[in-house]
Amino acid sequence: MMTDNNLPLVSIILPCRNEEYFLTNCLESLYASDYPASKLEILLLDGESTDRTLSIAKELQQSHSSVPLHIISNPKRIFPCAVNLGVQHSKGDYIMIVGAHATYDRSYVSATIETALRTNAENTGGVLITEGLNRSLMGKAITYVLSSPFGVGNSTFRTGSDVETEVDTVFGGCYKRSVFETIGGFNENLVSTSDMDFNTRLKKANGKIILTPSAKAHYYTRTDFKKFIRNNFRNGYWSLYPLRFLNYLPVRFRHLIPLFFFTGLLVGIGLSFLSPILLYLFLGCMAFYFLVATAASVKFLSKHPINILLMPFLFFLLHSTYGLGSFVGIINVIFAKPKRDK
């Protein structure tokens, strides 16, 4: 049996910028961890915040002295630069990368470390429970869409799992320090999807990524309609734009399906003008899509009857705007000057 003395030191890296509304709850949840305080350190990487983020961090730094909180400036502001800076300043045997928009169960750190030590996995993480900030009917429906397999595919950490399983990526990953020495740091060219790229490289190096259902985090997403659309487009764009810098795709096949869907929409609309038969075929395909989307919405009917109408519409927007972002991303790659990392 392991004692507190021989447990590994865990460095928690927390990139953030302008997170005054979320930072207190996030840090308080980390301070409340049941992992020994003497075996924890938190590194907050601030991307030149212009709100009260820094002052809140300093207040908590003073009031929770049992776990050291190191506040480090991230002048480049973006996530992968924050991670790399955090790793450079960290001392831990394991490095956990978390987000400020989430809170973490008391057992999150101990559960991921227990799994890492038992399985010898290079990266372990938990289940992400999506919580919408907008409590309107639309906001709740968006939350359900973002946690539905039909909406986000087989992203296990988002849709949940009752069993420990090997996956391609996790949220709040806890990495062996040796991983960064073996495959390098996060790619700072990738404003988004740098975490997926890192885990892709980890898998290529025969690293093991394990999701453990005993570790749970609650992610608080802004579920207003405009941000839902904007985030979908951005995520779709950065699923393919990394080809501007890489000679491989850092995403999985499920991330490409919205591109095929959007391309099918464009082709279907175009062909519909050529023949009534092609028009009916296109309408039939769309009817089938909405039939499947409606079936996926039935699960949430008990939450509110209106979901049977709202969710198919939101599924369509999720897939089409994500696909549009991917379409724009690949067009920009085609016409951009190559600048790739090996």
Side-chain angles (χ1 to χ4, degrees), residues 27 39 48 52 57 69 102-103 112 132-133 138 146-147 158 169 172 183-184 193 204 211 225 264 268 284 333 341:
L27 281 174
K39 294 293 184 176
E48 299 187 336
R52 294 186 59 250
L69 172 62
T103 58
T112 54
L133 291 175
M138 178 66 75
L146 294 175
S147 58
R158 287 186 180 276
T169 189
I183 68 173
T193 66
K204 285 183 176 181
L211 179 134
F225 189 73
V333 169
D341 297 336

Side-chain angles (χ1 to χ4, degrees), residues 32-303:
S33 172
D34 63 7
Y35 200 75
S38 62
K39 294 293 184 176
L40 281 177
E41 67 170 353
I42 302 173
L43 298 95
L44 185 147
L45 286 301
D46 177 64
E48 299 187 336
S49 295
T50 57
D51 63 0
R52 294 186 59 250
T53 294
L54 273 178
S55 61
I56 291 171
K58 290 175 181 177
E59 289 170 8
L60 292 170
Q61 186 183 48
Q62 295 298 317
S63 61
H64 293 274
S65 57
S66 59
V67 177
L69 172 62
H70 309 291
I71 301 173
I72 302 166
S73 176
N74 172 26
K76 293 184 180 179
R77 299 184 178 182
I78 62 174
F79 175 81
C81 298
V83 173
N84 290 341
L85 271 174
V87 172
Q88 291 170 23
H89 288 84
S90 67
K91 300 175 183 177
D93 306 297
Y94 282 83
I95 295 170
M96 177 176 287
I97 303 170
V98 301
H101 272 247
T103 58
Y104 304 84
D105 285 5
R106 290 186 72 250
S107 61
Y108 193 91
V109 178
S110 57
T112 54
I113 289 295
E114 187 279 328
T115 302
L117 295 175
R118 175 169 45 81
T119 64
N120 199 32
E122 280 71 25
N123 180 17
T124 55
V127 173
L128 186 66
I129 301 169
T130 303
E131 308 276 3
L133 291 175
N134 185 339
R135 306 307 295 172
S136 67
L137 288 176
M138 178 66 75
K140 291 178 181 179
I142 290 173
T143 302
Y144 303 146
V145 163
L146 294 175
S147 58
S148 164
F150 184 70
V152 297
N154 63 336
S155 180
T156 311
F157 74 86
R158 287 186 180 276
T159 58
S161 174
D162 295 326
V163 295
E164 191 174 283
T165 182
E166 188 167 354
V167 292
D168 52 42
T169 189
V170 288
F171 176 85
C174 187
Y175 298 86
K176 289 181 179 179
R177 187 176 197 88
S178 59
V179 169
F180 295 87
E181 298 165 356
T182 302
I183 68 173
F186 277 43
N187 190 321
E188 296 186 2
N189 288 315
L190 307 182
V191 176
S192 186
T193 66
S194 60
D195 53 342
M196 286 191 285
D197 169 62
F198 190 77
N199 283 314
T200 297
R201 286 153 48 204
L202 175 57
K203 296 288 281 187
K204 285 183 176 181
N206 297 317
K208 187 190 301 183
I209 304 173
I210 298 291
L211 179 134
T212 174
S214 56
K216 292 182 173 61
H218 299 257
Y219 182 81
Y220 299 92
T221 181
R222 295 186 178 96
T223 46
D224 64 86
F225 189 73
K226 288 182 180 179
K227 288 177 180 175
F228 173 68
I229 298 296
R230 185 169 67 238
N231 288 340
N232 292 338
F233 179 88
R234 180 178 183 273
N235 291 339
Y237 182 87
W238 278 100
S239 69
L240 286 173
Y241 190 67
L243 287 173
R244 170 84 164 79
F245 310 101
L246 307 173
N247 57 11
Y248 60 87
L249 266 178
V251 296
R252 300 294 180 265
F253 179 74
R254 68 173 180 268
H255 298 100
L256 303 180
I257 293 176
L259 173 62
F260 302 146
F261 178 72
F262 179 78
T263 304
L265 285 177
L266 291 182
V267 172
I269 291 171
L271 292 178
S272 296
F273 290 99
L274 301 180
S275 159
I277 295 177
L278 294 176
L279 171 62
Y280 295 141
L281 180 62
F282 172 68
L283 292 176
C285 290
M286 292 306 301
F288 178 74
Y289 171 87
F290 278 102
L291 180 64
V292 175
T294 301
S297 306
V298 169
K299 176 182 176 181
F300 302 92
L301 191 58
S302 61
K303 305 288 186 180

